[in-house]
Amino acid sequence: MVFSSPTFLYAFLPLFIVVYFARRSIAWRNAILLAFSLLFYAWGETVFVLLLLASIAFNWAVALAIDKADLVNRKPILILGICLNLVVLGVAKYADFIVLTVNAIYPAAGFPQLNLPLPLGISFFTFHAISYLFDVYRRNARAEESLMRVAVYIAMFPQLVAGPIVRFSTVARQLRQRSTTVWRAATGMRIFAIGLT
């Protein structure tokens, strides 16, 4: 589903707005935003919703470990978290390229291609998660205790598949408390309309 499609403009977005504003509690609004974000992702990549959820849970746990670790252990935990994120990204994007390269250099190897489908938005949500780990490591933000808020941060549908990568420290407060005004809504609609043209 793309933002300019009739399905998004005339069904998904209006339904999201109605359900979102039907609740006043920030906890409910976060839950609704997460549910719609996962539905948005599943619309294009049903199978890889599990990969997205696994990435969220893994990075939530790593950030908590970084936050609670002493000065000596913080960096190794960060490096481990970054490496595992990049391994998943590398396998998804470059496994067949590596197999083809090895087979071209050593034809006797004859490794079969994996033909893995590329998960939608994997670069964006992986680098989003890595930026979260860096924010926690550098103490620009505390690790978020709530798995729900980390999931909303990483999976939020307006930027899940096309970016931009937003630093956690920039939006951490808004995950706990946010308000909507007429001016903000009008500004958002104007920016969205410009993006459609």
Side-chain angles (χ1 to χ4, degrees), residues 30-179:
N30 280 343
I32 291 163
L33 181 53
L34 178 60
F36 272 82
S37 296
L38 294 176
L39 175 63
F40 179 85
Y41 189 80
W43 195 275
E45 292 286 352
T46 308
V47 174
F48 291 113
V49 169
L50 295 176
L51 177 63
L52 173 60
L53 291 172
S55 174
I56 290 166
F58 170 75
N59 287 289
W60 170 73
V62 170
L64 287 173
I66 291 170
D67 204 37
K68 292 174 182 169
D70 57 30
L71 223 55
V72 175
N73 294 316
R74 288 169 59 79
K75 196 168 193 176
I77 296 170
L78 172 69
I79 291 169
L80 176 66
I82 291 170
C83 288
L84 290 176
N85 275 294
L86 292 178
V87 163
V88 172
L89 178 63
V91 168
K93 291 191 87 166
Y94 303 113
D96 281 335
F97 172 74
I98 292 168
V99 167
L100 285 171
T101 303
V102 169
N103 286 343
I105 295 171
Y106 304 106
F111 292 118
Q113 288 190 40
L114 301 176
N115 294 318
L116 298 174
L118 183 63
L120 182 66
I122 188 169
S123 296
F124 290 109
F125 71 72
T126 299
F127 288 119
H128 222 105
I130 289 172
S131 79
Y132 171 53
L133 298 183
F134 267 113
D135 266 353
V136 172
Y137 174 76
R138 292 178 177 161
R139 300 206 187 275
N140 293 334
R142 293 299 307 269
E144 180 55 68
E145 296 282 338
S146 166
L147 178 57
M148 168 80 73
R149 286 192 281 265
V150 172
V152 169
Y153 164 68
I154 292 175
M156 195 181 317
F157 74 84
Q159 49 76 49
L160 175 61
V161 296
I165 296 168
V166 178
R167 301 297 297 265
F168 181 77
S169 55
T170 305
V171 298
R173 188 184 61 79
Q174 294 171 357
L175 293 171
R176 296 174 176 274
Q177 178 184 7
R178 57 186 176 268
S179 61

